Amino acid sequence: MSETQPLLSVRNLRKYYGITGGLMGRKVHDVRAVDGVSLDIHPGETLGLVGESGCGKSTTGRCMMRLIEPSAGEIRFNGKDVTKTEGHELRALRRDMQIIFQDPFASLNPRHTVRDIIAEALVIHRLAATRAEREDRVIELLETVGLRPDLRTRFPHEFSGGQRQRIGIARALAVQPKLIVCDEPVSALDVSIQAQVINLLEDLQERFNLTYLFIAHDLSVVEHISDRIAVMYLGRVVEIAPAHDLYRTPQHPYTEALLSAVPIPDPKLKRKRIVLKGELPNPIRPPTGCHFHPRCPIAQPICTKEAPPLTQTNANHHVACHLRVAV
Ligand code: SF4
């Protein structure tokens, strides 16, 4: 872990959704979307959060910002308890924590011009006193994300996917946040455009000293942008490590399987592909013990009975596996 105090600190975060049934509409099950996640994000770093669709990574990001109410757990941002914050304090926290969505088209109001979309945040947070100040700031923000300011009178449908994502980034930057949750921001884009948006995010991080939680379902996307990477499986973090350690020496069998699917640029190097059995289990009835045991190629009897805790194996590398923890 870094020496600095974390900007965001999450302990034992849970988000359960009740499933009702029967004539009385009583709760019959819980879907454990997030099931005891603990992690820290330090100022200026990028933490990659990776896992298959439905593993709870987006829900984790949204709970951290209180866009979704967590069921339990502690979230501290800049020392403040996010779960107990209300009213104007919560609005101030939301200004410091922004989100960029996977589908920029769905997150941009199609009836508003780009100017209105970006200026809205300035109005809500009273960051520009006059119309002229707002206009100047919109122009500055569009230039910052590499868009021509004269496009500000156009509507979202007049832009390409990559340009729309730049508009989403400009809107997030408008309020000068400290942390941005990037929720699969390049998954819907062509590979060549993905690289441009990732480069832009890296430049902005350096320029504005931003901290990122970068959510993706693919380890190849987060490799270059992340300082550390957390891998999630069925609502739990199963491995967390500095990016270069995780790529060089993955320790959890699930991370090994995810990495085996990542292409290596050097054709002389080959990685053995590990194909996992079955699909991600239903979170309504997660497997007992280690959630990964039905798909794990090295599972042992203990794995069906006891959930392995996230344990430090060497400097800054933590893994949740009974067999991969040094004794
Ligand atoms: Fe596999 Fe067991 Fe480790 Fe889970 S605890 S990853 S089932 S070996």
Side-chain angles (χ1 to χ4, degrees):
M1 287 284 148
S2 159
E3 302 282 305
T4 54
Q5 283 295 315
L7 178 64
L8 186 84
S9 183
V10 173
R11 292 290 172 271
N12 224 356
L13 182 69
R14 292 173 200 276
K15 179 62 191 177
Y16 296 170
Y17 294 99
I19 304 269
T20 51
L23 283 176
M24 306 299 285
R26 275 202 223 114
K27 188 167 94 170
V28 286
H29 283 295
D30 274 323
V31 176
R32 299 174 171 215
V34 180
D35 196 14
V37 165
S38 296
L39 45 85
D40 292 330
I41 311 179
H42 296 272
E45 85 164 339
T46 298
L47 178 71
L49 187 59
V50 176
E52 289 163 282
S53 287
C55 72
K57 54 195 189 300
S58 289
T59 308
T60 300
R62 282 156 208 239
C63 283
M64 287 172 179
M65 300 180 67
R66 291 265 309 270
L67 295 177
I68 298 175
E69 282 303 322
S71 307
E74 188 183 279
I75 306 164
R76 298 194 85 82
F77 180 79
N78 232 354
K80 274 213 176 84
D81 188 340
V82 174
T83 56
K84 296 195 171 72
T85 307
E86 298 298 339
H88 72 273
E89 270 199 326
L90 182 58
R91 271 198 298 284
L93 269 177
R94 290 218 170 111
R95 180 184 152 186
D96 284 341
M97 288 194 263
Q98 290 289 301
I99 185 164
I100 302 168
F101 296 97
Q102 175 180 0
D103 180 357
F105 198 48
S107 69
L108 303 174
N109 189 328
R111 285 188 287 275
H112 285 185
T113 63
V114 168
R115 171 203 280 139
D116 294 343
I117 288 167
I118 298 174
E120 189 183 19
L122 299 172
V123 173
I124 291 171
H125 293 283
R126 299 195 185 107
L127 293 172
T130 64
R131 186 183 286 255
E133 261 183 51
R134 271 203 302 277
E135 193 72 358
D136 287 349
R137 185 81 178 111
V138 168
I139 289 169
E140 186 190 350
L141 284 160
L142 286 174
E143 285 171 342
T144 302
V145 298
L147 288 174
R148 284 191 352 242
D150 61 289
L151 300 178
R152 65 191 182 282
T153 52
R154 299 206 183 166
F155 293 87
H157 72 268
E158 297 179 80
F159 293 86
S160 68
Q163 288 175 318
R164 285 199 286 261
Q165 197 52 286
R166 286 173 192 264
I167 298 166
I169 295 169
R171 179 177 59 181
L173 285 180
V175 295
Q176 299 167 321
K178 293 187 171 71
L179 179 132
I180 300 182
V181 173
C182 307
D183 190 2
E184 305 228 24
V186 296
S187 303
L189 304 176
D190 291 345
V191 174
S192 59
I193 309 294
Q194 286 187 357
Q196 291 174 15
V197 172
I198 287 179
N199 288 342
L200 172 66
L201 287 169
E202 286 182 317
D203 290 346
L204 297 172
Q205 180 169 43
E206 206 173 306
R207 192 165 156 195
F208 300 113
N209 193 27
L210 293 166
T211 303
Y212 292 146
L213 175 69
F214 195 101
I215 298 170
H217 59 263
D218 183 343
L219 268 170
S220 62
V221 171
V222 293
E223 179 173 6
H224 297 294
I225 197 170
S226 303
D227 298 297
R228 290 184 304 131
I229 295 176
V231 178
M232 271 188 87
Y233 188 80
L234 215 64
R236 295 176 180 166
V237 171
V238 295
E239 184 160 7
I240 184 163
H244 57 94
D245 281 0
L246 193 108
Y247 280 83
R248 270 208 331 255
T249 52
Q251 294 183 6
H252 196 280
Y254 179 59
T255 314
E256 287 172 350
L258 286 182
L259 263 179
S260 78
V262 174
I264 304 175
D266 184 345
K268 281 184 258 146
L269 292 176
K270 289 225 171 351
R271 216 182 244 148
K272 194 170 162 239
R273 181 81 200 261
I274 303 167
V275 181
L276 292 175
K277 304 175 271 182
E279 301 288 319
L280 193 69
N282 189 337
I284 298 177
R285 287 188 192 82
T288 54
C290 173
H291 286 346
F292 187 57
H293 79 76
R295 301 171 81 189
C296 181
I298 59 166
Q300 298 295 311
I302 187 179
C303 306
T304 62
K305 296 184 192 95
E306 286 177 31
L310 194 64
T311 308
Q312 184 162 357
T313 54
N314 50 44
N316 294 343
H317 203 136
H318 294 70
V319 65
C321 173
H322 293 303
L323 275 63
R324 294 288 168 84
V325 174
V327 281

